[in-house]
């Protein structure tokens, strides 16, 4: 049996690592080194001419980080390569700079991670990236109508936060491809266990590995994964066909990214240019922690989904709850899309409306004992937050109104604890808050 047809559960513990290449170490070693000996002047010549792809300097490549990149690639059927970065925000910003910079437009909607939306108004224009927003995120025709000559990509999240809406990726991939542009998907909430965007036409997938992918609330990290299939040579993306001195050949002739990385143009260019010159490199130790987390990805996410699916009807039956947002909630409009895209479960983020005063809601938050009050998701521990007053507070009024994020929203990220203990915790905090 080859690595290509291993099941997901096997790939998450084995793919991308061969112990015989690492002193037979069973656990992936942490190569905590800045540089690698060049040995001889002759080898140095070959290394600096990129004729030898052994590691040279850890900002560009590191054996521990390399295993992580190979493993994450292996977790996505249809992926050609991945690049690990120092944060999810680095993954998002590098991907957008790569596809649209300078002067290009990216088409998106407001159902995005708060930091991503904030970046649209606060930094992307300064970097030469223009953002166009479709106001009805579910209206596929609206994306088609909003595409112009300058649109370089459609960018969406697969499951969104905090209201757990589900995006019709295949329909958006069709729209993007009709216009010769890639679909870029932030798949952080779903993880590759619940959803493989490449199977639905995505060309590039980004992750905050900080969240459920690593799953233990102990790292900040990001990844960009590509299919390798998208045609960046159509003329719409001159940055991929322009020669770079950095990529010169043995005769000192500058080469283009497409010529040097024909099978992995997107991540190849990110490594040669963005990682090399802008420098958001992931540390080998953090790569090791993520590898350790990924070993249990399917087990953790399946249990978190089970906890989410158990808390939804319990919340819907509670008098202190006015509404519950999760595709499995009764009457949720995203149920069908979730059945299509998320057969293993619609994720572990569940938001609800607190049926009480702002004062009572604050008392509720102050009195949960097991749920941890913090700005994170996807942890092994269950987390709680009031997003409208915290994680999403920097959103413009237009963005906040558009996403339907109302002040009474409470967001839960279900962890691995016993569902009885989690329900008992919420019950006692509701009781104190409303008494
Ligand atoms: C957290 C998050 C990010 C940003 O990732 P960091 O690792 O915190 O930089 C991007 N997208 C989504 C969907 C996220 O949840």
């Amino acid at each position: 049996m080859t690595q290509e047809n291993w099941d997901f559960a096997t790939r998450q513990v084995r793919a991308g690592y061969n112990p015989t290449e690492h002193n037979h170490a069973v656990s992936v070693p942490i190569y905590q080194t800045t540089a690698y000996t060049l040995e001889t002047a002759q080898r140095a010549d070959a290394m600096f001419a990129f004729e030898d792809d052994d590691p040279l300097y850890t900002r560009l490549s590191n054996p521990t980080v390399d295993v992580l990149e190979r493993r994450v690639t292996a977790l996505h059927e249809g992926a050609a390569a991945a690049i690990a970065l120092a944060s999810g925000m680095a993954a998002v910003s590098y991907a957008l700079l790569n596809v649209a910079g300078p002067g290009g437009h990216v088409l998106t909607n407001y159902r995005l991670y708060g930091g991503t939306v904030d970046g649209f108004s606060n930094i992307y224009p300064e970097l030469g990236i223009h953002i166009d927003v479709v106001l009805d995120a579910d209206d596929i025709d609206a994306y088609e109508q909003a595409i112009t000559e300058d649109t370089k990509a459609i960018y969406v999240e697969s499951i969104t936060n905090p209201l757990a809406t589900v995006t019709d990726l295949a329909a958006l991939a069709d729209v993007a491809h009709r216009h010769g542009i890639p679909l870029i998907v932030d798949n952080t909430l779903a993880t590759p266990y619940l959803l493989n965007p490449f199977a639905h036409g995505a060309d590039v997938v980004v992750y905050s590995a900080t969240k459920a992918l690593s799953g233990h609330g102990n790292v900040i990290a990001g990844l960009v994964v590509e299919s390798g299939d998208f045609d960046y040579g159509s003329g719409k993306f001159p940055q991929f066909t322009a020669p770079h001195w950095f990529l010169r050949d043995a005769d000192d002739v500058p080469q283009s990214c497409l010529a040097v990385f024909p099978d992995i143009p997107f991540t190849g260019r990110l490594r040669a240019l963005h990682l090399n010159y802008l420098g958001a490199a992931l540390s080998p130790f953090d790569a090791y922690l993520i590898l350790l987390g990924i070993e249990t990805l399917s087990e953790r996410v399946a249990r978190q989904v089970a906890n989410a699916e158990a808390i939804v009807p319990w919340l819907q039956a509670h008098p202190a709850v006015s509404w519950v947002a999760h595709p499995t909630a009764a009457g949720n409009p995203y149920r069908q899309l979730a059945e299509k895209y998320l057969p293993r479960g619609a994720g572990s983020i569940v938001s609800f409306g607190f049926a009480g005063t702002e004062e009572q809601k604050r008392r509720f938050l102050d009195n949960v004992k097991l749920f941890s009050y913090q700005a994170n998701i996807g942890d092994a521990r269950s987390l709680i937050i009031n997003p409208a007053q915290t994680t999403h507070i920097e959103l413009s009024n237009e963005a906040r109104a558009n996403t339907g994020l109302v002040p009474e929203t409470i967001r839960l990220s279900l962890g691995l604890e016993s569902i009885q203990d989690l329900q008992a915790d919420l019950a006692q905090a509701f009781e104190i808050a409303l008494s």
Side-chain angles (χ1 to χ4, degrees), residues 16 37 40 66 80 107 115-116 120 122 139 199 211 216 242 265 313 324 329 343 354 375 383 408 415:
T37 60
T40 63
D66 185 62
L107 184 60
T116 305
F120 292 167
N122 291 313
D139 182 353
K211 314 291 171 53
H216 294 78
V324 179
F354 183 91
L383 317 178
E408 70 266 27

Side-chain angles (χ1 to χ4, degrees), residues 87-90 92 113 116 155 157 161 186 188-189 207-211 220-222 377:
S87 70
M89 290 317 287
V92 171
Y113 176 68
T116 305
Y155 177 84
E157 296 186 5
N161 166 20
D186 183 334
T188 298
L189 268 66
Y207 286 100
S208 167
T210 310
K211 314 291 171 53
I220 296 284
I377 54 172

Side-chain angles (χ1 to χ4, degrees), residues 116-264:
T116 305
V117 178
D118 291 349
F120 292 167
S121 42
N122 291 313
I123 183 84
Y124 285 105
E126 230 175 89
L127 300 171
I129 311 279
H130 306 279
I131 307 290
D132 300 319
V133 178
V134 167
L135 292 178
D136 181 352
D138 296 320
D139 182 353
I140 302 299
D141 291 339
Y143 293 86
E144 182 119 44
Q145 282 152 24
I147 291 176
T148 70
E149 273 293 281
D150 296 326
T151 309
K152 305 294 186 183
I154 296 180
Y155 177 84
V156 292
E157 296 186 5
S158 47
I159 304 177
T160 74
N161 166 20
L163 297 178
T165 69
V166 182
T167 305
D168 192 348
L169 298 182
L172 288 179
D174 284 347
V175 171
H177 296 160
R178 266 202 294 281
H179 294 269
I181 58 175
L183 175 67
I184 305 180
V185 177
D186 183 334
N187 197 41
T188 298
L189 268 66
T191 81
Y193 175 66
L194 294 179
L195 172 65
N196 175 9
F198 295 113
H200 303 285
D203 303 286
V204 174
V205 175
V206 302
Y207 286 100
S208 167
T210 310
K211 314 291 171 53
L213 196 63
S214 63
H216 294 78
N218 53 13
V219 287
I220 296 284
L223 284 140
V224 179
V225 194
E226 75 170 311
S227 69
D229 291 338
F230 187 82
D231 177 17
Y232 296 96
S234 64
K236 232 178 171 19
F237 305 93
Q239 69 271 38
F240 283 86
T241 47
H244 285 284
W245 175 243
F246 176 75
L247 299 172
R248 65 194 176 277
D249 66 11
D251 302 321
D252 273 354
V253 179
Q255 304 289 303
S256 75
C257 284
L258 256 183
V260 177
F261 314 111
D263 303 324
I264 54 164

